[in-house]
């Protein structure tokens, strides 16, 4: 009989750190093929429609950028949280609050038209997202609550608040009763990058700039060092004189501001008004993006494009094959599942052990749970 | 091989090998343990003692080699199997639940469903018959380390083992408690039980062990009768070469020197139900001297270190003064900026971040004190500067490593400790506070660290060393104070200090028992 043993590596493996997302992606493709086959669709056809066709024309690449921009912006902020071992799961809510607060000017002061409007909106969006993220930070530092629960629950509060706003006080009086605000005036709309080629707007540029800046912060600056130390060994962080509570606020405010920026960019760029739903779950999908990108802002740019494709592919298979676009969710889930699984290979290597000498009745059981052993 | 008392050995080990990746932790180990002997297993940290013992106790599986029990080949696949054979083990780090009673802890490990009351009765009887009195109803959290060890020993004895493995049992005991333990071990030997005694304390091995097996770098380098050896010949076998003796130059005019670290009536409430409150601790450490703080582990040393380092702040700012300035309200960074440096007990996860490079770990304690050198405009880290400084420390402290700038976790304990101590020495701090400077460090590295601490003090700094290792404190200290139950005795000048006096204080004798000629006005 054989059994598998996980042997701890003396050093983390740089090779598998880089390979892990690709292995995860390959496993996702295999599992996806099985899923399509079970749904009665030829997997090859399905993959072509899912992954190739949505990006075969220039205007489609613009759609990809529109979907990728919020994912990257949010995930870059989340990567700082997760590196600090702070679990902000509520980016979806911070995204929504960013959209709401950023929309204050175009909704309440539609006559105010000036080049100042857009920068103010973006700023307000960031403030809104950061302020909303400050709630779980305050609860955690003051009362020791679990930020996973509080940040997650605040998502539903934000969703319902938006829903109430667009049905109630902020509803467009001329909107025939539709639950939405007025269309933003031109000075409140995020311009498109190349209007002749496609719809992609400045949000994508914000995402790239944020990724580069956060990369510099994390890899070159003392603050990034502080994040990494507190995240990996909090006691050593305290010994270094870094404050954990300050870090909780820093991480939540930074990620909240970036999620808020993503929110107002989406509302002002891709949508042009507030609606009851302004996000197809970007705040949650960005969690996958952050991990698929190895919590590295540059990796997150690539991962954001991949996850954006799963959205487009989901829409494509729905219209072409009549499969529910929930397929996109399944792909996203599998990708996260496999990438977390593959990360084991960074710290452990797998060894096959043949148990030829042991008596069959005592050791015939294949050990499903691998033994973890320290190298020393 | 060696002498058998009745023809068969209780345990024979032949060619036992364990490989972790590229490291051969145990390399063809041969070992015989006769019935009714106390057999010492000697070796430095990392020599393979723990790995060998884990294989004997079934918690690690050997790659090759054989184990014979009473002449029969056996395969010990789990600790349960080892217990069934008759092998019991007392670990160095206890595995007891503090919130449960002694009897409940014993019941958990017996796993045979007998009622707690009968276990408690048995444990009580056994403990008194072996001279290790124990109240089975007492809560483990309330017990001293020595008493906790008794629980471990009693729970081992309740399984009536033939072979008892003791891993560094005296490292947590006062000299007097250790004497008690030796009596018990001799009693067990007289009953025909065998004991495998793991230690690096040569004097006690010479005192109680019948034979010794010495390991070095995973190999057996010799079997001997420790009574016929000297401590230095045993040390030579363990280390492979002479360990350089630490030289402590005398200090003059210390009484007039400026106290650089003053602790005045330092008091701290317990942070958790099982931590020790600090009760009115006062101590001065002057320029040019090394003060040692002895004490059995868990008597408040950790709490004291946190309070002095500023990881925990004091209400009363004057309770800790560094270079004449009140520092009780300052964070660890503020205290470092006053010229203090700190080395905590735990290397990985406290003194160093395990998964970070050495150069980054340099930044850990020095990002503020060397802010200009290591951090540039806008908070950018000067990676070339920290790399160069890390290499300077590596050379100065003779840190051995496998890569130019490896992760902290990739270093052996001794080498990482040399780096962590060197990181602070490199600053020439005027106050240095070190908790367990050479815990788990091999003899060569330990001597290096001790010498460096003495030299730092002689160059005009105040050095405070907290240690459980009395030999170490006697080697480097100019005066020794003892911490017991959150209180600190007056420092005893080294000329007047004896193992017996310090040992009594460690066991909780009245602090007034000691002379205090070094008392300040």
């Amino acid at each position: 009989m054989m059994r598998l043993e996980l042997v701890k590596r003396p050093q983390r493996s740089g090779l598998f750190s880089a390979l892990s997302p690709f292995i995860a992606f390959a496993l996702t493709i295999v599992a996806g093929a099985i899923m399509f086959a079970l749904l009665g669709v030829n997997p090859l056809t399905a993959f072509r429609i899912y992954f190739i066709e949505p990006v075969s024309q220039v205007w489609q690449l613009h759609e990809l950028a529109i979907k990728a921009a919020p994912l990257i912006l949010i995930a870059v902020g989340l990567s700082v949280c997760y590196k600090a071992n702070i679990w902000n799961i509520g980016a979806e809510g911070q995204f929504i609050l960013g959209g709401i607060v950023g929309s204050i000017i175009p909704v309440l002061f539609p006559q105010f038209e000036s080049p100042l409007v857009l920068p103010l909106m973006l700023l307000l969006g960031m403030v809104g997202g950061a302020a909303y993220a400050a709630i779980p930070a305050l609860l955690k530092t003051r009362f020791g609550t679990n930020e996973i629960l509080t940040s997650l629950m605040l998502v539903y509060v934000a969703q319902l608040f938006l829903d109430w706003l667009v049905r109630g006080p902020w509803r467009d009086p001329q909107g025939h009763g539709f639950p939405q605000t007025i269309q933003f005036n031109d000075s409140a709309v995020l311009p498109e990058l190349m209007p002749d080629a496609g719809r992609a707007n400045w949000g994508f540029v914000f995402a790239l700039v944020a990724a580069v800046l956060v990369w510099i912060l994390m890899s070159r600056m003392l603050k990034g060092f502080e994040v990494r130390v507190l995240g990996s060994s909090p006691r050593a962080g305290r010994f270094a004189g870094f404050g954990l509570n300050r870090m909780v606020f820093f991480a939540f405010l930074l990620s909240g501001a970036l999620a808020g920026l993503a929110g107002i960019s989406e509302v002002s760029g891709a949508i042009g008004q507030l609606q009851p739903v302004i996000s197809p779950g970007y705040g949650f999908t960005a969690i996958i993006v952050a991990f698929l990108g190895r919590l590295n802002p540059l990796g997150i740019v690539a991962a954001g494009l991949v996850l954006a494709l799963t959205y487009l592919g989901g829409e494509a298979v729905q219209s072409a094959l009549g499969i529910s676009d929930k397929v996109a969710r399944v792909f996203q889930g599998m990708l996260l599942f496999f990438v977390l699984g593959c990360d084991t290979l960074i710290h452990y290597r797998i060894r096959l052990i043949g148990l030829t000498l042991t008596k069959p009745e005592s050791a015939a059981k294949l050990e499903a749970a691998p033994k973890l052993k320290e190298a020393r | 091989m060696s002498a058998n008392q009745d023809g068969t050995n209780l345990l024979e080990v032949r060619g036992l090998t364990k490989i972790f990746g590229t490291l051969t932790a145990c390399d063809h180990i041969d070992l015989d343990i006769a019935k009714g002997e106390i057999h010492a297993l000697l070796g430095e940290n990392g020599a393979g003692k723990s790995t060998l013992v884990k294989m004997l106790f079934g918690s690690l599986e050997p790659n090759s080699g054989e184990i014979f029990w009473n002449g029969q080949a056996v395969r010990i696949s789990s600790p349960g199997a080892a217990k069934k054979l008759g092998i019991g083990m007392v670990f160095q780090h206890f595995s007891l639940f503090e919130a449960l009673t002694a009897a409940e802890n014993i019941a958990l490990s017996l796993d045979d469903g007998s009622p707690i009351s009968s276990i408690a009765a048995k444990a009580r009887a056994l403990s008194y018959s072996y001279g290790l009195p124990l109240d089975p109803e007492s809560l483990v959290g309330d017990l001293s380390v020595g008493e906790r060890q008794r629980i471990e020993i009693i729970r081992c004895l309740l399984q009536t083992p033939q072979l008892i493995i003791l891993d560094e049992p005296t490292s947590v005991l006062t000299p007097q408690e250790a004497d008690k333990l030796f009596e018990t071990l001799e009693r067990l030997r007289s009953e025909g039980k065998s004991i495998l005694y793991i230690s690096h304390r040569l004097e006690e091995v010479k005192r109680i062990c019948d034979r010794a097996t010495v390991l070095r770098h995973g190999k057996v380098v010799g079997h001997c009768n420790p009574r016929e050896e000297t401590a230095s010949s045993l040390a030579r076998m363990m280390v492979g070469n002479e360990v350089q003796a630490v030289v402590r130059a005398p200090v003059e005019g210390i009484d007039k020197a400026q106290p650089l670290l003053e602790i005045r009536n330092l008091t701290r409430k317990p942070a958790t139900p099982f931590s020790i409150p600090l009760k009115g601790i006062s101590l001065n450490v002057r320029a040019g001297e090394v003060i040692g703080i002895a004490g059995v582990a868990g008597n408040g040393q950790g709490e004291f270190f946190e309070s002095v380092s500023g990881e925990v702040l004091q209400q009363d700012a004057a309770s800790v003064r560094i270079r004449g300035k009140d520092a009780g309200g300052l964070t660890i960074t503020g205290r470092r900026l006053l010229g203090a440096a700190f080395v905590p007990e735990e290397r990985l996860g406290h003194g160093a971040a395990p998964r970070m490079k050495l150069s980054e770990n340099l930044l850990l304690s020095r990002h503020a004190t060397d802010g200009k050198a290591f951090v540039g405009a806008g908070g950018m880290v000067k990676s070339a500067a920290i790399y160069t400084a890390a290499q300077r420390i590596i050379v100065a402290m003779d840190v051995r490593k496998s890569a130019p700038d490896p992760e902290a976790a990739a270093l052996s304990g001794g080498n990482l400790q040399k780096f962590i101590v060197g990181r602070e020495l490199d600053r020439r701090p005027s106050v240095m506070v070190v908790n367990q400077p050479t815990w788990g460090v091999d003899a060569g590295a330990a001597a290096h660290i001790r010498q460096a601490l003495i030299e730092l003090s002689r160059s005009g700094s105040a050095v405070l060393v907290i240690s459980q290792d009395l030999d170490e404190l006697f080697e480097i200290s100019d005066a020794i104070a003892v911490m017991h139950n959150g209180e600190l005795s007056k420092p005893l000048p080294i000329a007047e200090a004896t193992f017996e006096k310090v040992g009594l204080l460690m066991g909780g004798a009245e602090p007034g028992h000691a002379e205090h000629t070094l008392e300040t006005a």
Side-chain angles (χ1 to χ4, degrees), chain B residues 24 39 51 85 169 264 472 499:
Chain B
T24 306
H39 193 111
T51 306
L85 279 179
R264 294 180 185 168
E472 165 170 273
F499 266 62

Side-chain angles (χ1 to χ4, degrees), chain B residues 415-479:
Chain B
N415 281 305
L416 182 57
Q417 185 71 4
K418 282 195 278 188
F419 181 81
I420 291 175
V421 173
R423 171 177 77 187
E424 309 304 331
L425 292 175
D426 185 61
R427 271 179 58 205
R428 316 294 322 159
S430 38
V431 174
M432 177 91 162
V433 183
V434 192
N435 193 3
Q436 315 300 343
T438 62
W439 183 80
V441 171
D442 62 78
H448 194 128
I449 290 171
R450 288 170 191 161
Q451 191 67 55
L453 290 174
I454 293 172
E455 277 160 20
L456 177 70
S457 77
R458 298 313 184 247
S459 71
S461 302
V463 178
L464 181 61
V465 176
I466 305 167
S467 178
Q468 287 168 51
D469 185 342
L470 275 188
D471 298 315
E472 165 170 273
L473 290 178
F474 274 85
E475 204 170 305
I476 64 173
S477 308
D478 299 304

Side-chain angles (χ1 to χ4, degrees), chain B residues 90-338:
Chain B
V90 176
F91 289 94
Q92 181 180 9
H93 301 286
F94 309 145
S95 41
L96 297 170
F97 294 97
E98 296 200 328
L100 298 183
T101 65
E104 285 166 341
N105 268 289
I106 292 171
L108 275 173
S109 71
L110 289 182
D111 199 27
D112 62 355
S114 40
I116 301 254
S117 56
S118 81
I119 290 172
K122 265 195 256 174
R124 192 189 306 270
L126 199 64
S127 69
Y128 282 94
S129 77
Y130 279 101
L132 297 169
L134 175 72
D135 175 11
E137 314 298 336
S138 54
L139 216 56
V140 170
D142 298 334
L143 298 179
S144 73
V145 184
E147 288 169 316
R148 290 180 200 202
Q149 188 182 54
R150 285 180 197 168
I151 302 177
E152 291 271 0
I153 293 174
I154 296 297
R155 107 170 150 185
C156 177
L157 290 177
L158 273 175
Q159 292 157 1
T160 56
Q162 294 305 304
L163 173 66
I164 301 161
I165 303 173
L166 293 160
D167 191 0
E168 303 269 0
T170 56
S171 63
V172 293
L173 301 181
T174 65
Q176 286 83 358
E177 283 175 318
D179 286 341
K180 259 248 164 81
L181 175 70
F182 296 153
E183 282 170 27
T184 307
L185 296 185
E186 274 158 11
R187 165 107 195 265
L188 286 167
R189 169 170 58 190
S190 70
E191 291 174 1
K193 297 199 192 298
S194 306
I195 291 162
L196 183 60
Y197 188 90
I198 302 166
S199 183
H200 64 267
R201 294 193 172 173
L202 304 172
E203 289 301 335
E204 60 188 45
V205 166
K206 275 173 62 64
R207 182 170 150 196
I208 62 161
C209 295
D210 306 302
R211 283 193 303 156
T213 296
V214 185
L215 294 186
R216 187 164 79 224
H217 301 317
K219 293 199 176 93
V220 173
V221 291
H223 301 279
C224 64
N225 180 343
R227 297 196 173 106
E228 291 164 4
E229 303 285 332
T230 64
S232 67
S233 71
L234 286 173
R236 219 168 19 244
M237 285 173 85
M238 270 167 63
V239 182
N241 52 21
E242 288 288 348
V243 175
Q244 218 172 351
V246 173
V247 185
R248 194 164 56 85
V251 273
E252 280 164 22
I254 199 72
D255 296 341
K256 289 161 228 139
Q258 183 70 22
L260 294 179
L261 175 66
E262 296 162 82
I263 294 158
R264 294 180 185 168
N265 196 23
L266 174 66
T267 299
R268 182 178 164 197
K269 291 200 179 79
T272 69
F274 298 117
S275 62
I276 304 289
L278 300 179
K279 300 166 196 158
I281 292 177
S282 295
L283 180 72
N284 283 346
V285 191
R286 296 180 187 76
E289 74 178 346
V290 180
I291 301 268
I293 294 187
V296 175
N299 270 287
Q301 293 96 326
E303 288 83 355
F304 176 70
F305 178 84
E306 282 183 337
S307 304
V308 174
S309 70
E311 287 173 279
V312 173
L313 303 185
Q314 285 76 55
Q315 299 271 311
D316 174 12
S319 61
V320 176
R321 290 167 58 83
I322 294 168
R323 288 171 66 207
K325 295 201 173 63
D326 288 353
L330 296 179
T331 62
I332 187 166
T333 302
R335 297 182 197 197
R336 284 191 180 120
L337 287 171
L338 284 179

Side-chain angles (χ1 to χ4, degrees), chain B residues 477-498:
Chain B
S477 308
D478 299 304
I480 296 178
V482 177
M483 186 161 278
H484 179 261
N485 202 16
E487 289 179 78
L488 190 71
S489 75
K490 295 275 188 283
L492 212 54
I494 197 70
E496 298 161 26
T498 61

